[in-house]
Amino acid sequence: MEIIQFVSALRQEAQVLGDYHAVRTMCSRRLATLRKRLGRQTSKSKKYAPQPPLTAEEIAQEPKFVHLYLYSSERAWAHAMQMKSLLADDATAASAAMRSHLVSRLHKAQSYAVQLCALLGDPASGAVDNDVLEANAYAASLRGSEAFEKSHWEDSIKAFSISKIIYSALLSSSKNEIYKDQLTSTVDPSIRYSAYQLQLPRNMDVATISRQHFPRQDERIVKAVEALDTKALSDPAAEALEEGGAGAVVTSVTWRSRTAPVEDADISVALTAAQAAELAYLPLQKDNPSSTEAFDGTLLAWQEVVDAAKKTIDEQTAEGVSMGDPKMQNLQLIWTLVNYSLICWRIARNRVMVEGIAQGGKRKNKRGGEEVRVKKLGHLKEEVALYDAILQSLEQVYNLPGVAADEPFTSELDSKKAHFSALKCSTIARSHAILSNRTNALALFVRALSYITSSPPIPQPTTTPQSHNGLEITPAESQSLRSTLENEVARFRALAEMDLITTKSAKTAGKGAGTLVEKLDQYPEGKIDLENGIVQWPPKVAPVPVKPVFLDVAFNFIEYPGDGAPRAVTDKKMEEGGKEKEGKKGGFLGSLWGR
């Protein structure tokens, strides 16, 4: 029956129209037309005779009866949205009566959806499980919107959790973007805001909140959801804890061979949740190694630990506890550990994004052309931004308590910083190479190689917790990068030299290889070139460009060999009345000279 697709198309038309009153009018017009076609129009007799309610058998015979409920529900929803826009645009109109009217319209919309759910839940309707799930998700979203407007946050979360679980299960099975749009546009933001109003822990993501508040009384809905996605109602963190055996509460932490007890309950609970999130990350990362969504839960969990540690330190400082107190020293060690773990996960996420960009560029950029060139430059620009973020994260590690005094650790950080600086510099060099700036590319590759050669070697990685794998760089990776940069330096040094020779040849060809007297208008760079001499001797016969007027003048004064005596016309001959030979004619401008 495609209930969600039908509703989504209606709401897209609402966005195009931009006026909910027009949407309401459109729904009324279509509803009247549909009632007339299906024989459910209002009686025109003097005495009103209400239509009998629809049955499941009628829906089985004609599925378009479902559209009667959908149009009615959407008409009431559009009316509610119209009043909501008025309340948002005009503060003076924000009266209790209009707010109450808005809630009543939403209640009417969800009542039509509930009636539709009851009809489709009857086996006589012939509806499949997907139709039942879509109808329940639609009704739950309207019920959640009503509770949201009434500020009943608990009811809002319960209602939207049904929509969240059902839409997620449908999305995982069908990969239809319509369900994703419903989640991102309405469901997820509403759950987040309701959770904020209820002051739920920030380390709980939307999926976890939805699983906790999803009602499991309706067995048909639960079975249909699990048939689409077996893990829709299961907690991956809890499963990871059961498989990994990490269910115990964290009571102590170890940082660089130093162990500190975790005495604060909030920090202990947050650390336990962070370890559970790390264990839940592993199966997600195996399914899709290039996806960054798997990092979201872990980053959020470690951010919660950082917030809990900062809160505890601020409380101790406010109470006047000195920095030399053992309790404060333990808190500082915990602060360093949790911040370093959070930074490592951020760096790991950025590194995965860099790999994804590089792989995407290799897949797509198979054909040449200016468009592909621009795409390559765009990908390299994104990589440079990610390397900048990694280097900024490394700078934050230096500022953590106790890091500056740990020389082996700072030396290791210097090596890793040089490694990422070399990657960033080589990425910029590749962009210059694409633009055919080979000299700039050579300089950048040399700079990248200097980062590697001037830094201490990266030590062998030690056994570290899962949190610390984001900064893991093996000596083999470092050596491979060094070999690559050495090869690139050699290659671009040769290319730059070839460009220099080509440029010199072009300049020489442009200036010509003539004698010095022929190049007096050219300023010599360096020594004066006398290889071809000062003048050409013996001189070569060469054409001399002149203007036609000079040829006309010369015609009267020049005699050619074999014509006997010179025939130059002079003023004396003209006075003596000398005449020119017959057949000799004046030039183009002869009349100007008295001929």
Side-chain angles (χ1 to χ4, degrees):
M1 296 180 184
E2 298 180 348
I3 295 173
I4 301 303
Q5 185 173 356
F6 183 83
V7 173
S8 178
L10 273 178
R11 296 192 177 181
Q12 285 180 1
E13 291 184 19
Q15 293 178 356
V16 173
L17 293 174
D19 183 7
Y20 287 107
H21 178 71
V23 178
R24 180 186 172 193
T25 305
M26 179 188 66
C27 289
S28 298
R29 185 173 61 253
R30 292 184 181 180
L31 185 60
T33 304
L34 186 60
R35 282 174 177 169
K36 186 175 181 181
R37 290 179 180 176
L38 298 176
R40 305 284 300 184
Q41 68 271 28
T42 304
S43 176
K44 295 183 179 180
S45 60
K46 294 182 179 179
K47 187 177 181 180
Y48 174 71
Q51 292 289 338
L54 282 173
T55 61
E57 289 77 9
E58 289 179 317
I59 291 179
Q61 294 175 0
E62 180 54 67
K64 286 192 176 180
F65 279 114
V66 173
H67 294 174
L68 290 175
Y69 289 97
L70 295 178
Y71 275 126
S72 300
S73 179
E74 284 299 297
R75 180 175 61 176
W77 174 84
H79 193 182
M81 293 300 104
Q82 179 187 358
M83 287 185 289
K84 188 173 182 178
S85 62
L86 291 175
L87 289 171
D89 296 339
D90 188 3
T92 60
S95 62
M98 184 174 288
R99 177 72 60 181
S100 177
H101 195 191
L102 187 155
V103 172
S104 69
R105 293 298 91 191
L106 288 175
H107 179 75
K108 185 175 182 179
Q110 70 99 12
S111 66
Y112 282 116
V114 169
Q115 294 176 30
L116 179 60
C117 290
L119 288 174
L120 295 182
D122 191 341
S125 65
V128 297
D129 289 343
N130 280 16
D131 297 332
V132 177
L133 287 177
E134 288 187 359
N136 278 274
Y138 176 62
S141 64
L142 292 174
R143 186 165 60 252
S145 299
E146 180 187 358
F148 192 92
E149 294 297 332
K150 294 165 68 174
S151 300
H152 295 172
W153 308 117
E154 187 71 27
D155 296 337
S156 176
I157 281 188
K158 289 180 179 179
F160 280 115
S161 296
I162 298 174
S163 300
K164 170 67 175 178
I165 296 297
I166 293 177
Y167 285 145
S168 299
L170 291 170
L171 179 62
S172 64
S173 62
S174 64
K175 307 299 181 183
N176 195 336
E177 293 295 326
I178 293 178
Y179 304 119
K180 187 176 181 180
D181 293 340
Q182 294 292 326
L183 288 171
T184 56
S185 62
T186 306
V187 178
D188 288 352
S190 301
I191 293 177
R192 288 193 189 97
Y193 189 78
S194 300
Y196 168 75
Q197 292 293 337
L198 292 174
Q199 297 182 357
L200 296 180
R202 195 172 66 176
N203 63 336
M204 295 176 62
D205 57 353
V206 176
T208 303
I209 296 173
S210 302
R211 283 191 294 267
Q212 291 182 359
H213 292 83
F214 182 80
R216 303 172 187 262
Q217 292 81 8
D218 194 338
E219 295 183 357
R220 183 179 181 183
I221 299 297
V222 173
K223 290 181 179 179
V225 168
E226 291 179 345
L228 294 175
D229 187 3
T230 57
K231 298 182 179 180
L233 298 175
S234 59
D235 189 359
E239 292 179 356
L241 283 173
E242 292 177 1
E243 296 176 0
V249 178
V250 177
T251 58
S252 63
V253 295
T254 302
W255 166 257
R256 303 287 296 176
S257 71
R258 289 185 58 191
T259 303
V262 181
E263 300 175 354
D264 188 81
D266 293 338
I267 298 177
S268 179
V269 172
L271 279 170
T272 304
Q275 290 185 359
E278 288 183 2
L279 293 174
Y281 158 80
L282 295 175
L284 296 175
Q285 193 268 343
K286 289 180 181 178
D287 296 338
N288 192 358
S290 61
S291 175
T292 58
E293 296 179 358
F295 290 91
D296 296 342
T298 308
L299 287 171
L300 195 61
W302 277 110
Q303 183 63 52
E304 189 69 23
V305 183
V306 171
D307 293 343
K310 185 178 186 302
K311 180 181 178 182
T312 304
I313 293 174
D314 291 342
E315 291 175 354
Q316 295 294 323
T317 305
E319 293 176 3
V321 180
S322 63
M323 296 302 296
D325 188 87
K327 186 175 182 179
M328 185 62 76
Q329 291 291 325
N330 292 333
L331 286 174
Q332 292 291 329
L333 189 142
I334 294 172
W335 173 256
T336 301
L337 170 66
V338 297
N339 276 279
Y340 181 70
S341 300
L342 178 61
I343 290 171
C344 286
W345 277 100
R346 286 176 181 169
I347 292 175
R349 184 177 184 271
N350 290 335
R351 294 179 70 180
V352 169
M353 291 177 67
V354 170
E355 293 175 1
I357 293 172
Q359 292 176 2
K362 291 179 181 178
R363 284 195 305 268
K364 296 177 182 178
N365 298 333
K366 293 182 179 179
R367 295 180 297 174
E370 183 65 24
E371 183 178 357
V372 173
R373 181 186 178 190
V374 172
K375 286 184 178 180
K376 285 182 178 180
L377 292 173
H379 292 160
L380 293 175
K381 185 177 180 180
E382 293 175 2
E383 291 184 24
V384 171
L386 290 172
Y387 284 129
D388 275 331
I390 291 174
L391 292 173
Q392 290 175 6
S393 299
L394 281 173
E395 289 294 336
Q396 296 176 6
V397 178
Y398 286 98
N399 298 326
L400 294 177
V403 171
D406 193 344
E407 293 185 1
F409 185 60
T410 54
S411 177
E412 181 180 348
L413 286 177
D414 291 340
S415 302
K416 293 178 179 180
K417 182 180 178 182
H419 180 85
F420 289 113
S421 298
L423 287 173
K424 174 190 171 183
C425 203
S426 63
T427 303
I428 300 174
R430 291 203 304 272
S431 66
H432 281 273
I434 292 175
L435 295 173
S436 300
N437 297 332
R438 293 174 176 174
T439 305
N440 296 347
L442 173 61
L444 289 166
F445 276 123
V446 171
R447 172 64 65 85
L449 183 60
S450 66
Y451 283 126
I452 300 296
T453 55
S454 61
S455 64
I458 296 178
Q460 288 286 346
T462 57
T463 304
T464 55
Q466 177 67 24
S467 306
H468 303 169
N469 288 349
L471 269 175
E472 181 179 340
I473 302 173
T474 61
E477 293 178 359
S478 179
Q479 184 61 34
S480 175
L481 177 61
R482 180 169 183 168
S483 301
T484 302
L485 292 176
E486 289 176 350
N487 294 336
E488 291 295 330
V489 167
R491 187 166 74 93
F492 275 90
R493 182 171 286 130
L495 292 173
E497 187 65 25
M498 291 171 61
D499 290 343
L500 183 60
I501 294 174
T502 304
T503 304
K504 288 183 177 180
S505 300
K507 287 182 179 179
T508 304
K511 293 180 180 180
T515 59
L516 182 61
V517 73
E518 297 174 359
K519 299 184 293 182
L520 293 177
D521 59 333
Q522 300 173 6
Y523 185 80
E525 298 179 1
K527 297 175 62 177
I528 298 177
D529 184 15
L530 297 177
E531 294 182 0
N532 296 320
I534 299 176
V535 294
Q536 176 69 32
W537 188 262
K540 293 182 179 179
V541 178
V544 178
V546 293
K547 297 181 179 179
V549 65
F550 295 112
L551 296 177
D552 289 318
V553 174
F555 184 82
N556 298 313
F557 295 93
I558 297 176
E559 294 292 342
Y560 293 95
D563 289 343
R567 297 182 180 180
V569 180
T570 61
D571 294 340
K572 184 178 179 180
K573 289 185 178 181
M574 292 292 293
E575 292 175 357
E576 293 176 356
K579 296 182 179 180
E580 300 179 3
K581 285 187 176 182
E582 293 181 4
K584 189 172 181 179
K585 300 178 180 180
F588 179 72
L589 298 177
S591 60
L592 297 177
W593 304 96
R595 298 199 302 270

